[in-house]
Amino acid sequence: MPQYHQFDALVVGAGGAGLMAALYASKGVNTAVISKLYPTRSHTGTAQGGISAALGNLEEDKWEWHAYDTIKGGDFLCDQDAVDIMCREAIDAVIDLEHMGLPFDRTPDGKISQRRFGGHTNNETKKPVMRACHAADRTGHMILQTLYQNCIKNNVKFFDEFQVIDVLIEDGKCNGVVAVQLATGEIHVFHSKATLIATGGFGKMWKVTSNAHSLTGDLPAAVLRRGLPLEDMEFFQFHPTGVYKLGILLSEAARGEGAVFINDKGERFMERYMPTLKDLAPRDICSRCIYTEIREGRGIGGKDYVYLDFRPEQINKYFEADGNPKRIDAHYLETRLPDIIEFARVYQGIDPIKEPVPIQPTAHYAMGGIPTDNDARVLADETGRIVEGLYAAGEVACVSVHGANRLGTNSLVDLVVFGKRGGIAMAEYCKQASFRPIHRDAAAKAGAAQLDRIRNNNGNERPHAIRKEMQAVMDEKVGVYRTGAGLEEAIDKIHELQARYKRIRIDDKGFKWNTDLMEAWELGALLDLAEVTAFAALARTESRGGHYREDYPNRDDVNFLKHSMVWKNGTITLKYKPVRITRIPPQERKY
Amino acid sequence: MFTPLITTARESLRYRGSGHVLWLLHRVTGLGVVIFLGTHIFGMSMATFNPPLHEAMLAVYKTPLFSVGEIVLAACLIFHAVNGTRIAILELRPALWDKQAVATRWSVIITLILLAPTIAVMAFKSISYYVTHGLK
Amino acid sequence: MASTTTVTPGRTVRKVQPIPQTRNRLELALWLFMRYSGLALVFLALSHFWMQHVLIGTHEIEFAGTQLRWGITGQPVTVEQVIWRAYYAVMLVLAVTHGINGVRQVAYDYFGHRPAIYKGLMSVIVAVAALISLGGIAALFMGAAASGGEAALR
Amino acid sequence: MKINLKIKRFNPETDKKPHWETYAVEVEPTDRVLDALHDVKWNQDGTLALRRSCAHGVCGSDAMRINGRNMLACKVLIQNIAKDGDTITVEPILGLPVVKDLIVDMEPFFAHYRAVMPYLVNNDPLPANGRERLQSPADRERYDDTTKCILCAACTTSCPSFWARGEYVGPAAIVQAHRFIFDSRDQAAQQRLEILSAQDGVWRCRTAFNCTEACPRGIQVTKAIGEVKEALRTGVIR
Ligand SMILES: Cc1cc2nc3c(=O)[nH]c(=O)nc-3n(C[C@H](O)[C@H](O)[C@H](O)COP(=O)(O)OP(=O)(O)OC[C@H]3O[C@@H](n4cnc5c(N)ncnc54)[C@H](O)[C@@H]3O)c2cc1C
Ligand code: HEM
Ligand code: SF4
Ligand code: F3S
Ligand code: FES
């Protein structure tokens, strides 16, 4: 029997964005959070390096500089009014987190400690600035824990281990979601006035990725199927420092503390490409430089990786070369980067204090996603019409504050700022709106049918084989370097895989904790997202930020200073909308 | 009713942690000593209330089975004492928990050091007693 | 407490009130008692054990020895015998309370989820232990029976 | 290399009792146990159920008993626990009801977590300048260790006191309480200590030390518990 619940506000996803929204929404209206993982398992917990805010605790800093860096880092595709909001409100948001109990590291005079991060500069000297607030190298963990703790304190209602599989949209308005309770396999219909989607990234399209197994884009796919568009899907960030072969992230904080890239010749190659920021250049640039080194035969041993070197004596050597008076030792690194050092020790058997660590770019962050306005309201089309009652925040949303490439630490800023704005906006909306009627039985039936189709399908394809092939083709053709021909091949391959997906067969026919079924369902979502990603990438015949076309290596502001919007109604439609430029005109991106 | 007892007993043996082995031994030896202590006090008090029974019990003490049991008792008591001292000292000073691994090793070593001569003397005395008096 | 303008370097030390609920205080007291009585028992129990069971040896223990240490019922006691009695009394009280609380902990672990059984079990154990130790104490202070020695001689 | 995975299976919809099943898998020595489990799930038997997410030891989803000890499947490399041809046993963590295969009901665990007031309490007015509360680096360092906890339950379910009696709050909840009791910004140490002084609170800890050994985050769990006991005993938090 399907079950039925009614709440004023629903939050789907219990990562940083979802919990922030829930905290603020629950202050005003009856709110519930639905998450397919226990909240503390969300991927926000893996974020390492920090959260930026121009607190100026250690050296001079201004939120305008932060905004400028963000816009430049985003290769001028950011909507500048949104960036201004984010960078200005970041300061209060970080202070807010501290008041909630977040154990930031401290400066000697007791303030929140800050460190350097890629792309964050003093606009006047052009030198890196200490802007990333941190709690060792587990800042995300502490944000997630702190927010969850405060939700417990405020008695927020949680539906843990409920996976949302459908969004109820009727006449351009959202009335809730349909979810399956993983423990029982039962369908639950959640009826709401306002729903906020905060389900995070969808990096599992790729094989080498820093993303968790759970980041499968369930909700973006669901809204896509409900006829809503996704924005800027071609922009996906490849983080330069993933653990070789595994993709586990070694945070930029390592380079913030002084680590450098080294090629086969032992050369600090970033000096050649980016003379000012060097190893702290934005991620898209570093990833491409690494691949260029590899392609030109200077990967380690001629293979497809380079080294990240954080041996203290090497760091000190480079500090000296850069004229930086700072000197560090092994103990300093062990306290500032304990987790990262442990990752290398556990997964590669390498002690980073003594040896350089093999790294490779890894699929990391979705700049694109569900289009929203500055109050997290979801947009229905390129004209800015909103979907009443539907909100999105966090990595899943595209505001767009990250443009074509996100700066390190800015995602956590995005989560807390827009999560909070979304929560407040929902509460306000709920107070004046009333529940719209829904057809709960029909909704439940449609949800159940989605799953039963997979459960009872009698095909001969194993979902895992399809997933593997999808990830391989995405790594190869829709990765750091892209070409028109490659993208076309990728689309063909994805279409083939989608056809084969119709013939899958799973082993587990049961209801309780049927992870076989849910993984197969998630694969369907990933295939849809892979398809629109490749499509949007094919149409953008320029190179900008995270999207690099070898056949169109230059940025083309004349034709492509615009956001893409992609629909999938049987066929795929692409439209574009302009970028909101308020203060900073596009310029060439040099560091 | 016995589920927690049975689970714990079974899983304590199956679980491969090292810590709870000492915990288990401490518990078992503590209970062993309690049982002995009970009978012992009972027996001793009979020296006042029922001398013949007391005599009889002393006689039981002089059987080989009891001699073996007595050696086990020695092991229990000494282990429980040494390990209990470890727990007490460490717990009254949490700063010493860093030394837990060392402390564990030492409680085993000290137990053995105390136990070896004790067992040797007891075994020697028992055997010579049975050699001269014969088995009853 | 953190101030808003300056911060004192080093570590803040704070005080809390004693825990008020008696029930909880009892757990704490018993916990401490287990540790301190344990430490005392190291000397008492081990010395007794080594004396009686190792140095003298169980096979050499005769009733006469007990009479010598405890004194004999109804007869005056020597200073030495008083010291022996005190030694045994302290050991007995500590060992029994330590042991009984130990058993209570174990019983609570495994039968705490069934209060009726737990309580029943504990009453039986406490009753038996009380009887035995009362007997023990009484015996100690009454001394060994005079007739016992004769029985041994028979 | 080839290894055998011996997994304790239980399907609530068909089984009355758990049973063992063994799967042969081909792995790289540097693979994680999680990779081997995925190999079984994806290529041999899709009905195998387990929780996992981050795959690198930070989300706390996949605590399980591997070769008889609690570990995160994603944080132990096969080469560290097995040689070619060996058998690795995998079972659910102990002391929580098994729901399916390697999945246990975490609710009792989180109930203990919620019981210790795991959140900062500070009723003073916020700093007038609109900025952060200050805290000295030494005060911050004081509770650093216990902020690492990912609530994986490896500690609590390795604790013999918890096996015996699920009402014991368990090491993980005490770790969480410690994180706040020793935070100089917090003001609810008193209430937390009262909660923990109950019969099923810290005094149930028999210093078995399995928890510290099991903690994948390297937290000195027993020491943290000892410090809570010390605070209760002395009435001083230092
Ligand atoms: C390794 C790593 C390191 C990073 N480091 C940094 C950093 O230092 N600084 C920075 O700013 N950013 C960093 N990022 C990026 C940042 O962490 C993420 O973008 C951000 O945490 C996303 O948060 P979120 O709240 O949007 O979603 P998440 O935290 O990913 O949460 C998603 C939530 O949605 C739920 N969910 C998903 N699907 C469903 C469904 N179908 N039904 C119900 N619930 C569902 C999940 O259970 C989960 O609770 C890092 C990312 C990674 C991968
Ligand atoms: C000789 C010195 C002794 C020392 C140092 C000692 C120490 C301890 C300590 C510290 C504990 C508490 C363990 C815990 O709470 O985890 C304990 C428990 C116990 N002791 Fe002793 N003890 C000694 C002698 C005895 C004697 C003589 C008896 C028997 C009467 C005894 C029976 C017990 C029992 C039954 C327990 C409970 C075990 C448990 O809870 O697991 N002990 N002991
Ligand atoms: S203390 Fe360690 S073992 Fe226990 S829940 Fe936290 S991280 Fe897991
Ligand atoms: S295993 Fe248990 S008994 Fe204490 S030291 Fe750890 S909580
Ligand atoms: S999967 Fe996240 S801890 Fe293992």
Side-chain angles (χ1 to χ4, degrees), chain B residues 79-124:
Chain B
F79 171 82
H80 189 93
V82 174
N83 192 52
T85 311
R86 171 186 69 98
I87 295 175
I89 294 178
L90 284 184
E91 261 197 310
L92 295 170
R93 303 220 125 269
L96 293 176
W97 275 124
D98 297 339
K99 309 253 179 331
Q100 144 73 14
V102 186
T104 308
R105 201 168 324 126
W106 276 106
S107 41
V108 174
I109 293 174
I110 294 178
T111 305
L112 292 179
I113 289 177
L114 292 181
L115 202 53
T118 310
I119 292 183
V121 173
M122 288 171 74
F124 176 77

Side-chain angles (χ1 to χ4, degrees), chain C residues 1 9 11 44 60 118 132 135 152:
Chain C
M1 208 105 313
R11 216 180 254 179
L44 296 171
E60 307 303 322
Y118 171 65
I132 291 179

Side-chain angles (χ1 to χ4, degrees), chain A residues 210-211 236-239 249 283 362-366 395 406:
Chain A
S210 64
N211 280 202
F236 205 91
Q237 179 170 76
F238 292 82
H239 193 294
L249 195 79
R283 292 176 179 170
T362 178
H364 182 55
Y365 184 85
E395 185 171 342
R406 170 175 73 85

Side-chain angles (χ1 to χ4, degrees), chain D residues 155 158-161 168 171 204-211 222 225:
Chain D
C155 54
S158 76
C159 173
S161 280
Y168 167 42
R204 292 272 96 196
C205 167
R206 307 252 86 94
T207 57
F209 232 87
N210 274 2
C211 51
T222 313
I225 299 174

Side-chain angles (χ1 to χ4, degrees), chain D residues 109 148-156 172 175 211 214-217 219 221:
Chain D
F109 174 80
K148 295 180 191 156
C149 175
I150 54 176
L151 297 170
C152 66
C155 54
T156 298
V175 160
C211 51
C215 178
R217 303 283 294 160
I219 299 171
V221 182

Side-chain angles (χ1 to χ4, degrees), chain B residues 23 26-27 30-31 33-34 37 77 80-81 84-85 87-88, chain C residues 34-35 38-39 41-42 45 95 98-99 102-103 105-106, chain D residues 206:
Chain B
W23 162 84
H26 192 79
R27 179 157 277 200
L31 290 176
V33 176
V34 167
L37 185 72
L77 186 67
H80 189 93
T85 311
I87 295 175
Chain C
M34 285 306 268
R35 271 120 198 103
L39 289 177
L41 281 169
V42 172
H98 179 104
V103 172
Q105 292 175 358
V106 177
Chain D
R206 307 252 86 94

Side-chain angles (χ1 to χ4, degrees), chain B residues 3-5 7-24 27 86-87 90-101 104, chain D residues 8 20 65 67-71 89 91 94 154 157-158 160-161 163-165 205-210 213-214 220 222-227 229-230 233:
Chain B
T3 338
L5 188 56
T7 334
T8 322
R10 194 182 55 215
E11 301 308 331
S12 297
L13 297 175
R14 285 193 57 239
Y15 193 82
R16 291 287 162 72
S18 53
H20 72 298
V21 177
L22 287 196
W23 162 84
L24 190 64
R27 179 157 277 200
R86 171 186 69 98
I87 295 175
L90 284 184
E91 261 197 310
L92 295 170
R93 303 220 125 269
L96 293 176
W97 275 124
D98 297 339
K99 309 253 179 331
Q100 144 73 14
T104 308
Chain D
K8 200 181 220 168
W20 291 95
R65 241 180 322 159
N67 281 352
R69 297 171 62 162
N70 284 359
M71 308 183 195
T89 59
E91 322 158 60
L94 196 71
T157 58
S158 76
S161 280
W163 299 337
R165 187 168 161 78
C205 167
R206 307 252 86 94
T207 57
F209 232 87
N210 274 2
E213 205 174 62
Q220 293 296 314
T222 313
K223 188 175 177 188
I225 299 174
E227 289 170 349
K229 287 175 181 163
E230 195 183 27
R233 226 170 56 232

Side-chain angles (χ1 to χ4, degrees), chain D residues 2-236:
Chain D
K2 264 206 164 58
I3 52 148
N4 295 312
L5 269 190
K6 187 172 164 219
I7 306 174
K8 200 181 220 168
R9 302 290 310 267
F10 173 70
N11 181 346
E13 289 166 275
T14 55
D15 302 346
K16 283 225 165 56
K17 268 179 144 181
H19 62 279
W20 291 95
E21 226 157 295
T22 306
Y23 304 86
V25 272
E26 183 69 48
V27 291
E28 295 288 322
T30 52
D31 278 353
R32 300 157 269 195
V33 171
L34 180 62
D35 296 317
L37 288 167
H38 270 153
D39 192 276
V40 171
K41 179 167 180 55
W42 290 339
N43 298 319
Q44 303 189 34
D45 184 351
T47 60
L48 178 66
L50 67 147
R51 291 192 182 98
R52 85 280 180 270
S53 182
C54 72
H56 64 287
V58 287
C59 75
S61 297
D62 57 347
M64 49 187 81
R65 241 180 322 159
I66 297 168
N67 281 352
R69 297 171 62 162
N70 284 359
M71 308 183 195
L72 297 177
C74 64
K75 215 180 169 178
V76 42
L77 303 191
I78 295 195
Q79 64 186 12
N80 294 343
I81 55 165
K83 291 189 293 292
D84 197 18
D86 279 0
T87 298
I88 297 177
T89 59
V90 182
E91 322 158 60
I93 44 179
L94 196 71
L96 295 167
V98 176
V99 180
K100 182 174 180 181
D101 294 343
L102 302 171
I103 296 178
V104 297
D105 179 6
M106 296 290 287
E107 197 32 47
F109 174 80
F110 278 103
H112 287 315
Y113 165 77
R114 289 191 296 266
V116 299
M117 305 173 64
Y119 39 79
L120 189 86
V121 176
N122 184 327
N123 299 320
D124 287 348
L126 294 173
N129 60 3
R131 301 290 291 205
E132 63 265 42
R133 292 196 178 95
L134 300 181
Q135 183 170 49
S136 75
D139 277 344
R140 165 64 181 80
E141 177 61 26
R142 178 67 190 87
Y143 62 99
D144 188 65
D145 201 33
T146 41
T147 64
K148 295 180 191 156
C149 175
I150 54 176
L151 297 170
C152 66
C155 54
T156 298
T157 58
S158 76
C159 173
S161 280
F162 183 77
W163 299 337
R165 187 168 161 78
E167 285 82 352
Y168 167 42
V169 289
I174 303 175
V175 160
Q176 289 294 329
H178 179 281
R179 177 248 172 275
F180 291 100
I181 293 171
F182 288 88
D183 186 337
S184 60
R185 298 169 298 171
D186 183 77
Q187 297 173 337
Q190 179 84 39
Q191 287 103 298
R192 279 189 209 98
L193 286 173
E194 258 162 47
I195 295 169
L196 288 177
S197 70
Q199 197 170 15
D200 285 312
V202 281
W203 308 120
R204 292 272 96 196
C205 167
R206 307 252 86 94
T207 57
F209 232 87
N210 274 2
C211 51
T212 306
E213 205 174 62
C215 178
R217 303 283 294 160
I219 299 171
Q220 293 296 314
V221 182
T222 313
K223 188 175 177 188
I225 299 174
E227 289 170 349
V228 172
K229 287 175 181 163
E230 195 183 27
L232 268 171
R233 226 170 56 232
T234 59
V236 181

